[in-house]
Amino acid sequence: MMLEFYGQKVQSRLLMGTALYPSPDILQKAVKASHADIVTISVRREAATTQLGQSAQSGEGFWELIRELNVRLLPNTAGCKSVKEAVTTAKMARELFETNWIKLEVIANDDMLQPDLFGLVEAAKILCDDGFDVFPYTTEDLGAAERLLEVGCKVLMPWGAPIGSARGLNNPFALESMRAYFPDIPLVVDAGVGAPSHAAKAMEMGYDAVLLNTAIAKAGDPVYMAEAFAGAIAAGRSAYKAGVMEPRNMASPSTPVAGTPFFKLD
């Protein structure tokens, strides 16, 4: 069964960010290697050099680069710290990129980049009422998740760990609880994933997709790392569909004792 967001079907369960890559060429190759259908892009970029270095001379150059990838854009409100700022940025994104999709971020503080759940719900309601398809960057808080769904969100994007921390899934129990609590809602682990094994674990839990940026962009070889994440996500999804066995406290022989021959030595 294909993954679907707001009525749009996508092939890949890996969503990629476009920040921090060493060069435009490496970004393009990494996205292609990942087979990602969706990439995020920050609306607050003043110039392409903010994310891609001196080789890209203007925001228009960066936009041309993204268009060449033939992927679906998910603009984001990265860095916004208030409802007003996030809503204004989202409306700019809709005009600039001609899409109702928006990854909504309302950040609580600079140290942990944790979502401001109160502001997030308020901004999500404003944007949903205005016709946006909102992808909210949230925590594992079930109460906040319920409110986001009530105001019109049809997908949830809980963090695995703080943005860029590479700590993986800090609270697997809470993530598993969210998956069980919202069995029919698309769930995407967003932020904190540092290794392909982290992504595979999220998929084994039954999450629908993983969104990441830094783990690929800052790898020694971003292109190979993009391939590694694509493989890990596919493997994790297959394991979930197959049914991962539950862990045991005691050993269990793979070869049954009953029916096996016994030999007695005199």
PDB file of all heavy atoms in Angstrom, residues 5 18 20 37 39 50-51 71-72 84 109 120 160 171 176 183 191 195 217 222 232 237 241 252 256 264 266:
ATOM      1  N   PHE A   5      -0.322  11.387   1.654  1.00  0.00           N
ATOM      2  CA  PHE A   5      -0.454  12.589   2.453  1.00  0.00           C
ATOM      3  C   PHE A   5      -1.476  13.511   1.787  1.00  0.00           C
ATOM      4  O   PHE A   5      -1.291  13.909   0.638  1.00  0.00           O
ATOM      5  CB  PHE A   5       0.882  13.336   2.561  1.00  0.00           C
ATOM      6  CG  PHE A   5       1.972  12.593   3.282  1.00  0.00           C
ATOM      7  CD1 PHE A   5       3.193  12.351   2.664  1.00  0.00           C
ATOM      8  CD2 PHE A   5       1.791  12.129   4.576  1.00  0.00           C
ATOM      9  CE1 PHE A   5       4.205  11.693   3.325  1.00  0.00           C
ATOM     10  CE2 PHE A   5       2.798  11.454   5.247  1.00  0.00           C
ATOM     11  CZ  PHE A   5       4.014  11.229   4.618  1.00  0.00           C
ATOM     12  N   THR A  18      17.034  19.923   2.757  1.00  0.00           N
ATOM     13  CA  THR A  18      17.974  20.413   1.743  1.00  0.00           C
ATOM     14  C   THR A  18      19.046  21.330   2.323  1.00  0.00           C
ATOM     15  O   THR A  18      19.776  21.978   1.586  1.00  0.00           O
ATOM     16  CB  THR A  18      17.209  21.176   0.652  1.00  0.00           C
ATOM     17  OG1 THR A  18      16.429  22.223   1.249  1.00  0.00           O
ATOM     18  CG2 THR A  18      16.285  20.239  -0.118  1.00  0.00           C
ATOM     19  N   LEU A  20      22.527  22.432   4.596  1.00  0.00           N
ATOM     20  CA  LEU A  20      23.848  22.033   5.102  1.00  0.00           C
ATOM     21  C   LEU A  20      24.686  21.176   4.156  1.00  0.00           C
ATOM     22  O   LEU A  20      25.764  20.714   4.533  1.00  0.00           O
ATOM     23  CB  LEU A  20      23.711  21.291   6.442  1.00  0.00           C
ATOM     24  CG  LEU A  20      22.946  22.021   7.546  1.00  0.00           C
ATOM     25  CD1 LEU A  20      22.770  21.107   8.754  1.00  0.00           C
ATOM     26  CD2 LEU A  20      23.645  23.302   7.943  1.00  0.00           C
ATOM     27  N   ASP A  37      10.720  11.317  -2.703  1.00  0.00           N
ATOM     28  CA  ASP A  37       9.714  12.012  -3.506  1.00  0.00           C
ATOM     29  C   ASP A  37       9.443  13.414  -2.980  1.00  0.00           C
ATOM     30  O   ASP A  37       8.893  14.247  -3.679  1.00  0.00           O
ATOM     31  CB  ASP A  37       8.382  11.252  -3.479  1.00  0.00           C
ATOM     32  CG  ASP A  37       8.477   9.893  -4.143  1.00  0.00           C
ATOM     33  OD1 ASP A  37       9.167   9.782  -5.161  1.00  0.00           O
ATOM     34  OD2 ASP A  37       7.865   8.946  -3.634  1.00  0.00           O
ATOM     35  N   VAL A  39      10.977  16.759  -0.620  1.00  0.00           N
ATOM     36  CA  VAL A  39      12.073  17.447   0.061  1.00  0.00           C
ATOM     37  C   VAL A  39      11.537  18.695   0.725  1.00  0.00           C
ATOM     38  O   VAL A  39      10.601  19.333   0.233  1.00  0.00           O
ATOM     39  CB  VAL A  39      13.230  17.817  -0.900  1.00  0.00           C
ATOM     40  CG1 VAL A  39      13.807  16.584  -1.557  1.00  0.00           C
ATOM     41  CG2 VAL A  39      12.781  18.825  -1.941  1.00  0.00           C
ATOM     42  N   THR A  50      23.047  30.482   2.341  1.00  0.00           N
ATOM     43  CA  THR A  50      22.701  30.127   3.708  1.00  0.00           C
ATOM     44  C   THR A  50      22.807  28.624   3.911  1.00  0.00           C
ATOM     45  O   THR A  50      23.225  28.148   4.949  1.00  0.00           O
ATOM     46  CB  THR A  50      21.266  30.573   4.043  1.00  0.00           C
ATOM     47  OG1 THR A  50      21.154  31.975   3.803  1.00  0.00           O
ATOM     48  CG2 THR A  50      20.924  30.288   5.496  1.00  0.00           C
ATOM     49  N   GLN A  51      22.448  27.850   2.898  1.00  0.00           N
ATOM     50  CA  GLN A  51      22.441  26.403   3.056  1.00  0.00           C
ATOM     51  C   GLN A  51      23.481  25.694   2.195  1.00  0.00           C
ATOM     52  O   GLN A  51      23.948  24.632   2.552  1.00  0.00           O
ATOM     53  CB  GLN A  51      21.049  25.850   2.719  1.00  0.00           C
ATOM     54  CG  GLN A  51      19.986  26.314   3.692  1.00  0.00           C
ATOM     55  CD  GLN A  51      18.724  25.485   3.583  1.00  0.00           C
ATOM     56  OE1 GLN A  51      18.687  24.485   2.902  1.00  0.00           O
ATOM     57  NE2 GLN A  51      17.688  25.909   4.260  1.00  0.00           N
ATOM     58  N   VAL A  71      10.877  16.724  -7.653  1.00  0.00           N
ATOM     59  CA  VAL A  71      10.315  16.166  -6.435  1.00  0.00           C
ATOM     60  C   VAL A  71       9.221  17.097  -5.920  1.00  0.00           C
ATOM     61  O   VAL A  71       9.099  18.241  -6.364  1.00  0.00           O
ATOM     62  CB  VAL A  71      11.392  15.993  -5.345  1.00  0.00           C
ATOM     63  CG1 VAL A  71      12.380  14.903  -5.725  1.00  0.00           C
ATOM     64  CG2 VAL A  71      12.131  17.312  -5.084  1.00  0.00           C
ATOM     65  N   ARG A  72       8.453  16.610  -4.984  1.00  0.00           N
ATOM     66  CA  ARG A  72       7.410  17.433  -4.378  1.00  0.00           C
ATOM     67  C   ARG A  72       8.025  18.254  -3.251  1.00  0.00           C
ATOM     68  O   ARG A  72       8.773  17.738  -2.416  1.00  0.00           O
ATOM     69  CB  ARG A  72       6.296  16.560  -3.837  1.00  0.00           C
ATOM     70  CG  ARG A  72       5.215  17.349  -3.127  1.00  0.00           C
ATOM     71  CD  ARG A  72       3.845  16.938  -3.561  1.00  0.00           C
ATOM     72  NE  ARG A  72       2.861  17.930  -3.125  1.00  0.00           N
ATOM     73  CZ  ARG A  72       1.620  17.964  -3.544  1.00  0.00           C
ATOM     74  NH1 ARG A  72       1.205  17.098  -4.443  1.00  0.00           N
ATOM     75  NH2 ARG A  72       0.774  18.875  -3.109  1.00  0.00           N
ATOM     76  N   LYS A  84       2.411  34.205  14.914  1.00  0.00           N
ATOM     77  CA  LYS A  84       2.335  35.201  13.847  1.00  0.00           C
ATOM     78  C   LYS A  84       3.445  34.992  12.823  1.00  0.00           C
ATOM     79  O   LYS A  84       3.213  35.033  11.605  1.00  0.00           O
ATOM     80  CB  LYS A  84       2.424  36.605  14.431  1.00  0.00           C
ATOM     81  CG  LYS A  84       2.323  37.707  13.387  1.00  0.00           C
ATOM     82  CD  LYS A  84       2.382  39.090  14.025  1.00  0.00           C
ATOM     83  CE  LYS A  84       2.291  40.191  12.966  1.00  0.00           C
ATOM     84  NZ  LYS A  84       2.360  41.543  13.584  1.00  0.00           N
ATOM     85  N   ASN A 109      12.439  27.123  22.120  1.00  0.00           N
ATOM     86  CA  ASN A 109      13.694  27.701  22.623  1.00  0.00           C
ATOM     87  C   ASN A 109      14.848  27.352  21.699  1.00  0.00           C
ATOM     88  O   ASN A 109      14.738  26.458  20.866  1.00  0.00           O
ATOM     89  CB  ASN A 109      13.989  27.217  24.056  1.00  0.00           C
ATOM     90  CG  ASN A 109      14.164  25.709  24.118  1.00  0.00           C
ATOM     91  OD1 ASN A 109      15.171  25.186  23.680  1.00  0.00           O
ATOM     92  ND2 ASN A 109      13.169  25.010  24.666  1.00  0.00           N
ATOM     93  N   LEU A 120       1.976  25.818  18.403  1.00  0.00           N
ATOM     94  CA  LEU A 120       1.829  24.930  17.253  1.00  0.00           C
ATOM     95  C   LEU A 120       0.358  24.659  16.952  1.00  0.00           C
ATOM     96  O   LEU A 120      -0.071  24.746  15.797  1.00  0.00           O
ATOM     97  CB  LEU A 120       2.565  23.615  17.524  1.00  0.00           C
ATOM     98  CG  LEU A 120       2.529  22.570  16.418  1.00  0.00           C
ATOM     99  CD1 LEU A 120       3.278  23.047  15.186  1.00  0.00           C
ATOM    100  CD2 LEU A 120       3.106  21.243  16.914  1.00  0.00           C
ATOM    101  N   GLY A 160      12.136  12.460  16.924  1.00  0.00           N
ATOM    102  CA  GLY A 160      12.813  11.332  17.532  1.00  0.00           C
ATOM    103  C   GLY A 160      13.705  11.819  18.655  1.00  0.00           C
ATOM    104  O   GLY A 160      13.820  11.213  19.711  1.00  0.00           O
ATOM    105  N   ASN A 171      12.730   8.410  23.033  1.00  0.00           N
ATOM    106  CA  ASN A 171      11.638   7.880  23.847  1.00  0.00           C
ATOM    107  C   ASN A 171      10.830   6.866  23.039  1.00  0.00           C
ATOM    108  O   ASN A 171       9.705   7.141  22.619  1.00  0.00           O
ATOM    109  CB  ASN A 171      10.739   9.024  24.322  1.00  0.00           C
ATOM    110  CG  ASN A 171       9.825   8.607  25.464  1.00  0.00           C
ATOM    111  OD1 ASN A 171       9.572   7.426  25.687  1.00  0.00           O
ATOM    112  ND2 ASN A 171       9.306   9.588  26.192  1.00  0.00           N
ATOM    113  N   GLU A 176       6.016   4.428  20.357  1.00  0.00           N
ATOM    114  CA  GLU A 176       5.190   3.246  20.152  1.00  0.00           C
ATOM    115  C   GLU A 176       3.754   3.502  20.608  1.00  0.00           C
ATOM    116  O   GLU A 176       2.792   3.059  19.973  1.00  0.00           O
ATOM    117  CB  GLU A 176       5.787   2.061  20.907  1.00  0.00           C
ATOM    118  CG  GLU A 176       7.065   1.514  20.281  1.00  0.00           C
ATOM    119  CD  GLU A 176       7.705   0.425  21.108  1.00  0.00           C
ATOM    120  OE1 GLU A 176       7.349   0.303  22.312  1.00  0.00           O
ATOM    121  OE2 GLU A 176       8.553  -0.312  20.587  1.00  0.00           O
ATOM    122  N   PRO A 183      -3.731   4.642  14.966  1.00  0.00           N
ATOM    123  CA  PRO A 183      -3.378   3.612  13.984  1.00  0.00           C
ATOM    124  C   PRO A 183      -3.636   4.003  12.537  1.00  0.00           C
ATOM    125  O   PRO A 183      -3.010   3.451  11.629  1.00  0.00           O
ATOM    126  CB  PRO A 183      -4.253   2.419  14.399  1.00  0.00           C
ATOM    127  CG  PRO A 183      -5.418   3.039  15.103  1.00  0.00           C
ATOM    128  CD  PRO A 183      -4.850   4.221  15.829  1.00  0.00           C
ATOM    129  N   ALA A 191      13.303  14.579  12.890  1.00  0.00           N
ATOM    130  CA  ALA A 191      14.361  15.202  13.708  1.00  0.00           C
ATOM    131  C   ALA A 191      15.049  14.207  14.636  1.00  0.00           C
ATOM    132  O   ALA A 191      14.421  13.316  15.208  1.00  0.00           O
ATOM    133  CB  ALA A 191      13.832  16.377  14.518  1.00  0.00           C
ATOM    134  N   ALA A 195      21.490   7.797  12.348  1.00  0.00           N
ATOM    135  CA  ALA A 195      22.053   6.620  11.678  1.00  0.00           C
ATOM    136  C   ALA A 195      20.944   5.838  10.992  1.00  0.00           C
ATOM    137  O   ALA A 195      19.785   5.885  11.413  1.00  0.00           O
ATOM    138  CB  ALA A 195      22.768   5.724  12.695  1.00  0.00           C
ATOM    139  N   ALA A 217      23.361  15.124   5.150  1.00  0.00           N
ATOM    140  CA  ALA A 217      24.119  16.285   4.671  1.00  0.00           C
ATOM    141  C   ALA A 217      25.501  16.370   5.286  1.00  0.00           C
ATOM    142  O   ALA A 217      26.458  16.805   4.634  1.00  0.00           O
ATOM    143  CB  ALA A 217      23.339  17.565   4.955  1.00  0.00           C
ATOM    144  N   PRO A 222      27.707  12.100   1.664  1.00  0.00           N
ATOM    145  CA  PRO A 222      26.249  12.219   1.716  1.00  0.00           C
ATOM    146  C   PRO A 222      25.517  11.324   0.719  1.00  0.00           C
ATOM    147  O   PRO A 222      24.416  10.852   1.011  1.00  0.00           O
ATOM    148  CB  PRO A 222      26.012  13.702   1.410  1.00  0.00           C
ATOM    149  CG  PRO A 222      27.257  14.396   1.840  1.00  0.00           C
ATOM    150  CD  PRO A 222      28.352  13.425   1.503  1.00  0.00           C
ATOM    151  N   ALA A 232      17.749   1.240   4.661  1.00  0.00           N
ATOM    152  CA  ALA A 232      17.323   0.972   6.034  1.00  0.00           C
ATOM    153  C   ALA A 232      15.821   1.166   6.190  1.00  0.00           C
ATOM    154  O   ALA A 232      15.142   0.386   6.872  1.00  0.00           O
ATOM    155  CB  ALA A 232      18.071   1.894   6.994  1.00  0.00           C
ATOM    156  N   ARG A 237      10.525  -1.148   6.991  1.00  0.00           N
ATOM    157  CA  ARG A 237       9.126  -1.274   6.575  1.00  0.00           C
ATOM    158  C   ARG A 237       8.778  -2.733   6.285  1.00  0.00           C
ATOM    159  O   ARG A 237       7.719  -3.232   6.685  1.00  0.00           O
ATOM    160  CB  ARG A 237       8.874  -0.411   5.334  1.00  0.00           C
ATOM    161  CG  ARG A 237       7.465  -0.498   4.767  1.00  0.00           C
ATOM    162  CD  ARG A 237       6.433   0.039   5.718  1.00  0.00           C
ATOM    163  NE  ARG A 237       5.090  -0.059   5.161  1.00  0.00           N
ATOM    164  CZ  ARG A 237       3.985   0.270   5.819  1.00  0.00           C
ATOM    165  NH1 ARG A 237       4.069   0.716   7.063  1.00  0.00           N
ATOM    166  NH2 ARG A 237       2.793   0.167   5.242  1.00  0.00           N
ATOM    167  N   LYS A 241       5.954  -5.124   8.204  1.00  0.00           N
ATOM    168  CA  LYS A 241       4.897  -5.837   7.489  1.00  0.00           C
ATOM    169  C   LYS A 241       4.990  -7.348   7.735  1.00  0.00           C
ATOM    170  O   LYS A 241       3.962  -8.042   7.808  1.00  0.00           O
ATOM    171  CB  LYS A 241       4.990  -5.539   6.001  1.00  0.00           C
ATOM    172  CG  LYS A 241       4.611  -4.097   5.636  1.00  0.00           C
ATOM    173  CD  LYS A 241       4.931  -3.778   4.194  1.00  0.00           C
ATOM    174  CE  LYS A 241       4.112  -4.601   3.233  1.00  0.00           C
ATOM    175  NZ  LYS A 241       4.418  -4.239   1.813  1.00  0.00           N
ATOM    176  N   SER A 252      15.038 -19.623  23.884  1.00  0.00           N
ATOM    177  CA  SER A 252      14.074 -20.523  23.264  1.00  0.00           C
ATOM    178  C   SER A 252      14.785 -21.255  22.139  1.00  0.00           C
ATOM    179  O   SER A 252      15.255 -20.620  21.180  1.00  0.00           O
ATOM    180  CB  SER A 252      12.885 -19.735  22.718  1.00  0.00           C
ATOM    181  OG  SER A 252      11.977 -20.576  22.037  1.00  0.00           O
ATOM    182  N   PRO A 256      13.570 -27.867  18.138  1.00  0.00           N
ATOM    183  CA  PRO A 256      12.792 -28.455  19.232  1.00  0.00           C
ATOM    184  C   PRO A 256      13.426 -29.741  19.743  1.00  0.00           C
ATOM    185  O   PRO A 256      14.052 -30.496  18.987  1.00  0.00           O
ATOM    186  CB  PRO A 256      11.429 -28.720  18.597  1.00  0.00           C
ATOM    187  CG  PRO A 256      11.696 -28.807  17.131  1.00  0.00           C
ATOM    188  CD  PRO A 256      12.842 -27.872  16.867  1.00  0.00           C
ATOM    189  N   LYS A 264      22.917 -43.137  23.869  1.00  0.00           N
ATOM    190  CA  LYS A 264      23.467 -43.484  25.153  1.00  0.00           C
ATOM    191  C   LYS A 264      24.809 -44.161  24.944  1.00  0.00           C
ATOM    192  O   LYS A 264      24.934 -45.117  24.180  1.00  0.00           O
ATOM    193  CB  LYS A 264      22.523 -44.423  25.905  1.00  0.00           C
ATOM    194  CG  LYS A 264      23.042 -44.815  27.264  1.00  0.00           C
ATOM    195  CD  LYS A 264      22.039 -45.709  27.971  1.00  0.00           C
ATOM    196  CE  LYS A 264      22.564 -46.135  29.338  1.00  0.00           C
ATOM    197  NZ  LYS A 264      21.619 -47.037  30.059  1.00  0.00           N
ATOM    198  N   ASP A 266      27.851 -46.379  26.524  1.00  0.00           N
ATOM    199  CA  ASP A 266      28.192 -47.254  27.657  1.00  0.00           C
ATOM    200  C   ASP A 266      29.545 -46.884  28.227  1.00  0.00           C
ATOM    201  O   ASP A 266      30.453 -46.460  27.517  1.00  0.00           O
ATOM    202  CB  ASP A 266      28.196 -48.726  27.189  1.00  0.00           C
ATOM    203  CG  ASP A 266      26.800 -49.162  26.789  1.00  0.00           C
ATOM    204  OD1 ASP A 266      25.819 -48.627  27.363  1.00  0.00           O
ATOM    205  OD2 ASP A 266      26.710 -50.015  25.877  1.00  0.00           O
TER     206      ASP A 266
END
